[in-house]
Amino acid sequence: MAAKDQDKSKLKKRKQISGGAKPDAPSSSPKKPKLLAVKHSKAPKNDLKKPFKGSEHTKPFKGSEHTKSGPKMEKTDPMSKRERRINAKDLAEARKKKRKPYYTLEQELAHLWEKMRVRNIGKEDRAKLITEALQKMKGKIAEIAGSHVSSRVLQTCVKYCSKSENDAVFEELQPHFLTLSSNKYGVHLVKKMLDNASKKQLAVVISSLHGHVAQLLRQVVGSDVIEHAYQLGNATQKQELLMELYSVELQIFKDLVTMKESSLKDIMSKLSLPKPSVVRHMTSVIQPILEKGIVDHSIIHRILMEYLNIADQTSATDVLQQLSGPLLVRMIHTRDGSRLGMLCVKHGSAKERKKIIKGMKDHVQKIARDQCGSMVLVCIISVVDDTKLLTKIVIHGVQENLEELIDDKNGRRFLLQLLHPKCTRYFTPDELASLDLSLDSLSGKVKGSSEEVKPNDDTEETETEANTSSDPVETLNMVEGGKKDPSVRREELLVKSGLAERLIDVCIENSDKLLKSNFGKDVIYEVAIGGADGILKPTMEDKLNALHEAIASVVAEPKSEESKEEHVLENFHSSRTIRKLILDCPAFASTLWKSALNGKCEMWASGHSGKVISAFLESSDSAVVAQAKKELQPLIDRGILKIQEKQAVKKA
């Protein structure tokens, strides 16, 4: 019952609150509830967050007396963008001055450098600016040489300063060459000092590097200094840099050997150095360099070649496996690097050869034009059996700019190897020797085995099989080359790939230009005769006849005295090329006689063209000889056409 009475009293109170006071209620009525009064005096939340303009409830500005901070502050105007930018610049300048003790000096040097480095400045004005800059830096060169700005200023000063000023800078920097060689900005100054150093100064720099060659070669920055010194040094200085990389004994006692012992094998035999210790020391030097990928320098290529010549089978295989791949593309621009590339191709497994070829993708044109890199391509097409992969990457890469490649001194080697393999006219004895290069430790029989290791047939090995073999001995290719017949491989790369057809078309379109070219004449000659062993004749007889007609049409052009260009029969290169074609290709001799020279020999009987005309008498085509003899014999009798003594003896 008590609970019911409490509920009724609560209900009555709620009715009184909701109904409010009646209009005729006396003034002594109870006060209004506080709930309603609070409700009308409180503003909405949204109005506090976003007050209307001019409202009394606007948010007080920072620093006013209404803030919690208490003290009254005056209102300040906000800074403009320009003022903020200037303020930020001043703050940055202040920080740099605290951080860099020579910041003001560097700013002054940079101002002078902007004036002295322009091209159209006079020598006297530049000399004054350089002298002023060196005076400002005197006594502080070593401290500021590692700075980005000061290093550039010093490089310009060293390049254009006088000998006395150069000597002064050299003396001040001499104790700090080793430190600067490891600095990413100072290294450029050291290289510039080496470029402008005298023989005595160069010897001082190289001697200061003694004992630190291996350490610097492991650094991307420091290896540049070692390579620069190696390139500029003479044979003795180069050997001095190499000695400490061979063994600890040679690092301590650098005067033990002379230039007579140039190779590592000769040094080891003279000093009776134990081979295991030398291999162990060189491995500790080479492995960090290979792991970091610092393989661009010629001194490293020389070390690797010397190492492979003395290393055992396992060590040599491990190094070749690390080099096989995209890393090799960065090495084949030097003589030793090119030979390393050939060794990787010859002794590599199918998997490793595939890595090497795929690493050359998009670089074939550049490699083909390089003097040393082109020999690696020649080795690849002479050894690798996977002609499908070669066609996809190498042959298609060559065909992109075939016309320019034909007329390039180095680019034509790849084509000439396919047309006439290992011809002594196109390859030097040293280049031919490099193609036959091999390692004793990787050739013949494996140690501990009575049977010779069979060569890998990379035409039949699948990618899965290549990836399964992890043992260096199992993946090693002991015999240079694959199982495929060289003539079959050559035909697949030259004829079936479409290269020969494209090559003949380019020769037809540019016959005049290629005949007169010092390098292109060899390619058009080999194509016109059908290649060595007549490899092009069975499938492209019609194309070759079209090329013969194109050359004959160029020869048939009338001789013009007004034209500045020489006629092909009077040009030094083209006249000799056409003469060789007459002697070596009977089909061409017959076409040329009928289309261009029949009845016109008298006008070409003197000069370079006379040698071309007389070559018809030595042609292997008897019909051509008989036709030519009728027209040439009267010219010989009248003394207009002169023939060589050999031809006269043969005729008699």
Side-chain angles (χ1 to χ4, degrees):
M1 294 294 290
K4 289 182 181 181
D5 293 338
Q6 287 179 0
D7 292 340
K8 288 180 181 180
S9 62
K10 286 181 181 179
L11 183 60
K12 289 179 181 180
K13 288 181 180 180
R14 287 176 185 172
K15 287 181 179 180
Q16 290 176 0
I17 293 171
S18 61
K22 294 181 180 180
D24 54 349
S27 58
S28 60
S29 61
K31 295 181 180 180
K32 293 181 180 180
K34 292 183 179 180
L35 181 63
L36 296 176
V38 174
K39 184 176 180 181
H40 289 292
S41 63
K42 203 166 187 180
K45 291 183 179 180
N46 294 336
D47 292 341
L48 289 176
K49 289 185 178 179
K50 299 180 181 178
F52 293 103
K53 189 174 181 181
S55 174
E56 296 178 357
H57 301 286
T58 54
K59 189 176 181 180
F61 62 89
K62 187 176 181 181
S64 67
E65 60 183 356
H66 300 288
T67 56
K68 294 181 180 180
S69 57
K72 185 176 180 181
M73 298 176 64
E74 294 182 359
K75 182 179 178 181
T76 57
D77 296 330
M79 291 189 295
S80 63
K81 289 184 179 180
R82 183 174 179 276
E83 290 173 343
R84 287 198 300 269
R85 188 165 59 250
I86 293 173
N87 189 28
K89 186 177 180 181
D90 293 340
L91 289 173
E93 291 284 335
R95 293 191 196 101
K96 288 179 181 178
K97 286 180 181 179
K98 289 182 180 179
R99 190 172 67 251
K100 300 179 180 180
Y102 297 105
Y103 179 74
T104 306
L105 175 61
E106 289 181 2
Q107 294 296 104
E108 296 175 1
L109 293 174
H111 183 67
L112 292 172
W113 182 60
E114 290 295 338
K115 296 179 180 179
M116 72 174 71
R117 72 190 186 104
V118 295
R119 294 183 179 179
N120 56 354
I121 190 174
K123 291 184 178 179
E124 295 180 358
D125 296 336
R126 179 180 279 153
K128 291 179 181 178
L129 293 170
I130 289 173
T131 303
E132 183 181 354
L134 291 176
Q135 286 294 331
K136 289 178 178 293
M137 290 185 286
K138 188 175 182 181
K140 300 181 281 290
I141 295 179
E143 287 80 3
I144 65 176
S147 170
H148 175 62
V149 177
S150 304
S151 176
R152 286 175 173 267
V153 179
L154 278 167
Q155 290 174 55
T156 305
C157 292
V158 170
K159 183 178 180 180
Y160 295 108
C161 69
S162 61
K163 187 178 183 304
S164 59
E165 292 173 334
N166 191 1
D167 294 341
V169 175
F170 185 87
E171 288 179 7
E172 193 168 344
L173 288 177
Q174 182 177 342
H176 308 279
F177 278 135
L178 194 62
T179 306
L180 291 174
S181 298
S182 301
N183 185 280
K184 65 177 180 178
Y185 299 124
V187 66
H188 302 294
L189 176 60
V190 176
K191 289 165 66 176
K192 185 63 70 175
M193 294 292 294
L194 287 171
D195 289 333
N196 294 273
S198 61
K199 291 183 179 180
K200 184 178 179 181
Q201 290 173 342
L202 180 62
V204 171
V205 176
I206 292 177
S207 63
S208 67
L209 298 174
H210 180 71
H212 305 278
V213 177
Q215 176 188 355
L216 290 173
L217 281 177
R218 289 193 289 267
Q219 303 173 11
V220 178
V221 175
S223 60
D224 285 341
V225 175
I226 300 296
E227 173 66 12
H228 214 67
Y230 183 77
Q231 292 291 339
L232 294 173
N234 55 33
T236 305
Q237 291 168 338
K238 287 182 178 180
Q239 190 182 38
E240 183 180 341
L241 291 171
L242 289 168
M243 285 301 101
E244 60 184 274
L245 302 174
Y246 292 155
S247 70
V248 179
E249 293 84 357
L250 294 174
Q251 183 176 354
I252 300 172
F253 307 103
K254 60 180 181 179
D255 298 327
L256 290 176
V257 295
T258 60
M259 275 309 300
K260 294 180 180 179
E261 301 83 27
S262 57
S263 66
L264 179 56
K265 284 185 176 181
D266 296 337
I267 294 172
M268 291 173 62
S269 62
K270 179 189 177 183
L271 301 178
S272 301
L273 294 175
K275 184 177 177 180
S277 66
V278 175
V279 172
R280 192 162 48 250
H281 177 77
M282 292 188 73
T283 303
S284 66
V285 171
I286 290 171
Q287 280 302 322
I289 296 173
L290 295 181
E291 289 172 2
K292 292 184 178 182
I294 309 173
V295 294
D296 303 271
H297 307 310
S298 59
I299 184 173
I300 295 174
H301 305 165
R302 176 68 185 276
I303 298 167
L304 289 171
M305 280 299 300
E306 294 288 357
Y307 176 77
L308 291 175
N309 286 328
I310 65 166
D312 56 3
Q313 177 186 321
T314 306
S315 301
T317 305
D318 185 42
V319 170
L320 291 180
Q321 285 180 346
Q322 291 183 63
L323 295 178
S324 298
L327 205 65
L328 195 65
V329 179
R330 295 161 47 195
M331 301 178 61
I332 57 180
H333 61 279
T334 65
R335 181 175 177 269
D336 290 323
S338 175
R339 296 192 172 197
L340 284 170
M342 295 183 202
L343 291 175
C344 289
V345 173
K346 288 180 179 180
H347 297 291
S349 63
K351 176 184 174 182
E352 291 159 3
R353 289 175 176 175
K354 187 177 293 186
K355 283 183 181 179
I356 293 171
I357 297 170
K358 286 185 175 180
M360 292 181 175
K361 190 177 182 180
D362 301 328
H363 303 287
V364 175
Q365 285 282 333
K366 187 176 180 181
I367 295 172
R369 285 182 171 86
D370 185 75
Q371 181 179 0
C372 300
S374 59
M375 293 304 300
V376 179
L377 284 181
V378 170
C379 178
I380 286 174
I381 61 176
S382 304
V383 171
V384 179
D385 286 342
D386 192 351
T387 53
K388 290 184 179 180
L389 181 64
L390 286 177
T391 302
K392 182 179 178 181
I393 295 178
V394 180
I395 303 296
H396 290 173
V398 166
Q399 289 181 353
E400 291 177 1
N401 295 311
L402 193 57
E403 180 183 347
E404 298 177 5
L405 215 61
I406 291 172
D407 202 15
D408 188 82
K409 178 182 179 181
N410 301 314
R412 64 190 183 127
R413 289 176 173 176
F414 175 84
L415 304 170
L416 291 171
Q417 175 67 9
L418 290 173
L419 292 167
H420 195 155
K422 295 186 178 181
C423 180
T424 55
R425 289 201 304 267
Y426 311 130
F427 297 97
T428 64
D430 183 64
E431 291 169 347
L432 292 175
S434 66
L435 291 174
D436 297 329
L437 187 67
S438 62
L439 295 175
D440 296 337
S441 59
L442 301 182
S443 299
K445 296 181 180 181
V446 182
K447 291 181 180 180
S449 174
S450 59
E451 296 181 359
E452 188 174 315
V453 177
K454 297 181 180 179
N456 290 307
D457 184 10
D458 46 7
T459 57
E460 298 178 359
E461 183 179 10
T462 62
E463 188 174 354
T464 306
E465 292 173 350
N467 292 331
T468 54
S469 180
S470 58
D471 187 7
V473 177
E474 292 180 5
T475 60
L476 192 64
N477 188 14
M478 291 296 174
V479 182
E480 298 82 7
K483 292 182 177 180
K484 188 175 290 187
D485 185 7
S487 60
V488 175
R489 183 193 304 115
R490 181 173 160 230
E491 184 179 1
E492 290 177 355
L493 292 174
L494 181 60
V495 181
K496 295 182 179 180
S497 66
L499 177 62
E501 185 175 359
R502 173 66 180 147
L503 194 59
I504 296 174
D505 291 337
V506 172
C507 290
I508 292 173
E509 295 171 4
N510 304 275
S511 55
D512 187 12
K513 176 185 174 182
L514 294 177
L515 285 170
K516 294 178 181 178
S517 170
N518 186 21
F519 305 119
K521 62 179 174 50
D522 296 327
V523 177
I524 196 173
Y525 165 78
E526 292 292 346
V527 173
I529 65 174
D533 304 327
I535 190 172
L536 303 180
K537 290 180 180 179
T539 57
M540 298 188 178
E541 190 71 32
D542 296 337
K543 284 275 188 181
L544 293 176
N545 291 334
L547 176 58
H548 298 164
E549 291 287 348
I551 298 174
S553 64
V554 174
V555 176
E557 292 180 0
K559 182 179 180 181
S560 176
E561 297 179 359
E562 298 178 355
S563 178
K564 295 181 180 179
E565 294 184 2
E566 288 182 311
H567 195 275
V568 288
L569 292 179
E570 295 178 329
N571 182 270
F572 178 84
H573 299 297
S574 58
S575 61
R576 280 155 176 76
T577 304
I578 295 172
R579 184 179 184 276
K580 281 201 302 180
L581 284 172
I582 293 170
L583 297 175
D584 300 336
C585 185
F588 172 78
S590 177
T591 302
L592 182 63
W593 178 260
K594 294 176 182 178
S595 303
L597 296 176
N598 189 11
K600 302 177 183 179
C601 293
E602 186 172 354
M603 65 182 297
W604 302 109
S606 60
H608 291 309
S609 57
K611 298 177 182 178
V612 178
I613 300 300
S614 61
F616 283 101
L617 298 174
E618 300 179 60
S619 175
S620 57
D621 190 342
S622 57
V624 173
V625 174
Q627 293 174 7
K629 192 172 183 180
K630 293 179 182 178
E631 187 173 346
L632 298 181
Q633 188 61 46
L635 299 177
I636 296 172
D637 296 338
R638 290 159 54 188
I640 298 176
L641 179 64
K642 296 180 180 180
I643 60 176
Q644 298 178 357
E645 294 181 1
K646 292 181 180 180
Q647 290 178 288
V649 172
K650 185 177 180 181
K651 182 182 176 183

